[in-house]
Amino acid sequence: MKKYTVLLLTLIMSSSLLGCTQQSNTANNTPSDSSATTQQQTETTTTASTDKTTPSSQASPTTAQQGATATAEQVQVATEVAKQYKQAEYDVPDYKQLNMEDSSATDKSGLPAIYQQQYEQLQPYTTANFLKQQITNRLLVLPQHLAVQSKANLKADDLQLTPDPVFKVKGIMEIEYQMNIAVGDKEKIPLTGTLQLQQNEGEWKVINDAYNKTQLAKLLDRAASRATSSS
């Protein structure tokens, strides 16, 4: 009987120890599961936060509201377009070949030959609407008229560009310019103004050219006076 009693006690103690061991293992595993859950929640929160901030960080300044600042790359590209435009505008390498009196159209556009030539020369740097405005206000071929009346070739000289990286109007960059119109090898006519550029199908284009009004008036008067004196 004593033998059976000892055996029973041994079984009871073994069962108790087994139960304690299982509870200990369960207690040890709980923090691990909690840690994994916390880590998973943290990763999910981080991912969600990243997803929310990505579109904002990739937003193009050209579509931002007034007061946004263009990137250094955008300023550089737009400034180069402005430079190419002003140089092309006053590039008259051979005035003797110009016929300002020829009003015949060269193609379906209906533009006289001299307008069509200048139109194609400036087209890579401007919008079609801007060129139409230049035709309407008779400024598109002002350099050609000036060259013919001066009996000299023209070119843009001493061109200095000062871009403003802050968009005063949504998506429009302003670049001030100072230059001289070199008339032959002896004379230089100062000209200043402000260009406005905007992205058109991913490319910067000139959409407006605000000349210094006083200087522009002098250019027009000069062309008119030379035309009068030569007639």
Side-chain angles (χ1 to χ4, degrees):
M1 183 66 180
K2 183 178 181 180
K3 179 178 179 181
Y4 288 111
T5 300
V6 172
L7 180 59
L8 180 60
L9 289 173
T10 301
L11 290 174
I12 293 173
M13 291 178 64
S14 298
S15 298
S16 300
L17 289 174
L18 180 60
C20 291
T21 301
Q22 291 175 344
Q23 290 178 0
S24 176
N25 289 338
T26 302
N28 289 337
N29 289 336
T30 301
S32 176
D33 294 341
S34 176
S35 176
T37 302
T38 302
Q39 182 178 358
Q40 183 177 2
Q41 291 175 345
T42 301
E43 292 174 352
T44 303
T45 302
T46 302
T47 302
S49 176
T50 302
D51 292 341
K52 291 180 180 179
T53 57
T54 298
S56 175
S57 63
Q58 292 180 349
S60 172
T62 58
T63 59
Q65 296 300 320
Q66 177 180 346
T69 301
T71 65
E73 181 180 1
Q74 288 173 326
V75 171
Q76 180 181 2
V77 174
T79 302
E80 181 62 26
V81 171
K83 175 184 176 182
Q84 296 294 334
Y85 168 73
K86 295 308 294 185
Q87 289 179 337
E89 182 184 19
Y90 283 93
D91 181 23
V92 185
D94 191 356
Y95 77 93
K96 294 180 181 179
Q97 299 297 320
L98 300 176
N99 183 2
M100 305 306 297
E101 304 301 326
D102 185 7
S103 60
S104 60
T106 58
D107 58 17
K108 62 182 180 181
S109 68
L111 292 174
I114 185 63
Y115 276 87
Q116 184 65 28
Q117 180 180 347
Q118 183 72 342
Y119 187 99
E120 293 176 354
Q121 187 167 323
L122 298 179
Q123 192 174 25
Y125 316 111
T126 69
T127 62
N129 287 338
F130 172 68
L131 289 179
K132 290 178 181 178
Q133 293 174 5
Q134 293 296 84
I135 293 172
T136 301
N137 58 29
R138 301 180 182 275
L139 291 178
L140 184 67
V141 291
L142 173 61
Q144 285 70 24
H145 278 290
L146 183 61
V148 170
Q149 302 303 339
S150 301
K151 297 182 179 180
N153 298 329
L154 303 184
K155 69 175 181 178
D157 200 10
D158 306 320
L159 178 61
Q160 298 180 20
L161 300 168
T162 306
D164 185 351
V166 178
F167 295 106
K168 295 180 180 179
V169 180
K170 181 179 179 181
I172 297 177
M173 187 184 303
E174 292 189 353
I175 300 179
E176 295 183 358
Y177 63 85
Q178 295 180 349
M179 58 175 286
N180 288 315
I181 303 172
V183 184
D185 298 327
K186 298 180 180 181
E187 185 181 7
K188 292 186 178 182
I189 304 173
L191 184 64
T192 59
T194 302
L195 293 172
Q196 289 185 327
L197 293 91
Q198 189 174 41
Q199 281 192 326
N200 188 332
E201 296 182 353
E203 295 183 350
W204 286 100
K205 299 283 187 178
V206 174
I207 63 171
N208 188 49
D209 187 355
Y211 289 85
N212 177 293
K213 293 183 179 179
T214 301
Q215 293 173 336
L216 178 59
K218 289 182 179 180
L219 285 178
L220 296 172
D221 289 344
R222 172 170 175 163
S225 63
R226 285 183 178 272
T228 302
S229 60
S230 61
S231 60

